[in-house]
C-alpha cells in the first residue's frame, strides 16, 4: 500500500493538485515520516525530479475549511496575494508549504476582520503552532507587514509590483492593520 500511495502522491505533485503527503498517511493510517522516507527513496531510485511545491495550491482548500462562509473567496484571494508577497520576500524558499499557507491565511483572516486563532489555523493546515509563529515572525520582518490593508490591496489592484512602503503612512495608527499587535505571537518573558 505504501508504494501505491507514494506513486499516487508523485502523480499529484506532477499534476499540481492540492493533495498532501499527510493525506495519504491518514488514509493508510501510517506515519507521515515513514511515508516520506519511502517517497524520497522512490524518487532517488527512479531519478524522479519534482518541482518545489507551490503553497498557493493549498490556499483554497484550507480557506474552505476555515468557515469564512460567503467571504471564503475574498479571504483566499488575499491569502494568495500574501503568499505571492512572501515569495517576493524570499520567505517561501526552504519552507514547507503548509506553514506559508497558514501564515497567509491567518493574516488574510485578520485583514477581513475574522477572528481565527493560531491554533485553529495550525489545526487546519496540519502544522504545529510554533511553526506558524515562526512564519508570522518572518513575515513581521518584511516591509509588507507595515503596510496598511488599503496600500497592500492597491499594489495588486494597480498591477504594481512595487516594494516601496511609505513609512509615514505605515506608521499612522488609524490606517494600519496592526500586524504586530493583533497577529504576532506574544514575546516570551525573559
Amino acid at each position: 500500500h505504501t508504494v501505491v500511495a507514494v506513486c499516487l502522491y508523485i502523480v499529484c505533485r506532477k499534476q499540481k493538485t492540492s493533495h498532501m503527503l499527510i493525506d495519504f498517511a491518514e488514509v493508510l493510517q501510517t506515519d507521515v515520516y515513514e511515508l516520506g522516507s519511502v517517497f524520497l527513496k522512490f524518487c532517488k531510485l527512479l531519478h524522479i525530479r519534482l518541482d518545489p511545491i507551490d503553497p498557493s495550491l493549498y490556499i483554497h482548500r484550507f480557506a474552505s475549511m476555515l468557515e469564512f462562509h460567503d467571504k471564503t473567496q475574498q479571504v483566499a484571494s488575499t491569502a494568495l496575494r500574501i503568499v505571492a508577497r512572501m515569495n517576493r520576500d524570499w520567505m517561501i524558499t526552504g519552507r514547507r508549504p503548509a506553514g506559508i499557507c497558514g501564515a497567509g491565511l491567518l493574516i488574510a483572516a485578520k485583514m477581513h476582520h475574522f477572528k481565527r486563532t493560531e491554533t485553529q489555523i495550525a489545526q487546519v493546515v496540519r502544522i504545529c503552532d510554533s511553526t506558524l509563529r515562526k512564519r508570522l515572525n518572518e513575515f513581521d520582518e518584511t516591509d509588507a507587514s507595515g503596510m496598511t490593508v488599503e496600500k497592500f490591496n492597491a499594489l495588486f489592484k494597480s498591477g504594481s509590483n512595487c516594494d516601496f512602503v511609505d513609512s509615514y503612512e505605515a506608521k499612522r495608527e488609524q490606517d494600519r492593520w496592526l500586524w504586530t499587535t493583533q497577529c504576532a505571537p506574544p514575546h516570551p518573558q525573559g
Side-chain angles (χ1 to χ4, degrees), residues 71-161:
K71 299 283 188 183
T72 300
Q73 182 60 38
Q74 290 174 327
V75 174
S77 293
T78 300
L80 285 169
R81 291 173 176 167
I82 292 166
V83 168
R85 183 58 196 226
M86 289 174 171
N87 188 35
R88 188 174 302 130
D89 289 331
W90 293 94
M91 278 186 60
I92 291 177
T93 305
R95 304 287 186 263
R96 292 190 176 147
I100 297 294
C101 290
L105 282 164
L106 182 59
I107 296 165
K110 301 279 185 191
M111 290 172 72
H112 288 276
H113 309 289
F114 284 98
K115 294 181 181 180
R116 298 294 182 271
T117 66
E118 290 176 11
T119 301
Q120 288 173 314
I121 300 286
Q123 287 173 346
V124 166
V125 301
R126 300 175 179 176
I127 58 173
C128 63
D129 292 7
S130 63
T131 300
L132 180 57
R133 270 188 239 97
K134 286 178 187 176
R135 298 300 84 84
L136 293 171
N137 285 335
E138 290 168 358
F139 183 77
D140 195 30
E141 298 296 319
T142 68
D143 289 341
S145 70
M147 289 184 187
T148 65
V149 172
E150 294 77 20
K151 184 155 186 113
F152 184 85
N153 288 335
L155 287 176
F156 288 92
K157 286 181 182 174
S158 67
S160 169
N161 59 1

Side-chain angles (χ1 to χ4, degrees), residues 47-62:
H47 305 286
I48 297 172
R49 293 183 45 117
L50 297 170
D51 293 331
I53 301 170
D54 179 2
S56 64
L57 293 173
Y58 303 107
I59 292 291
H60 287 284
R61 170 186 170 174
F62 294 142

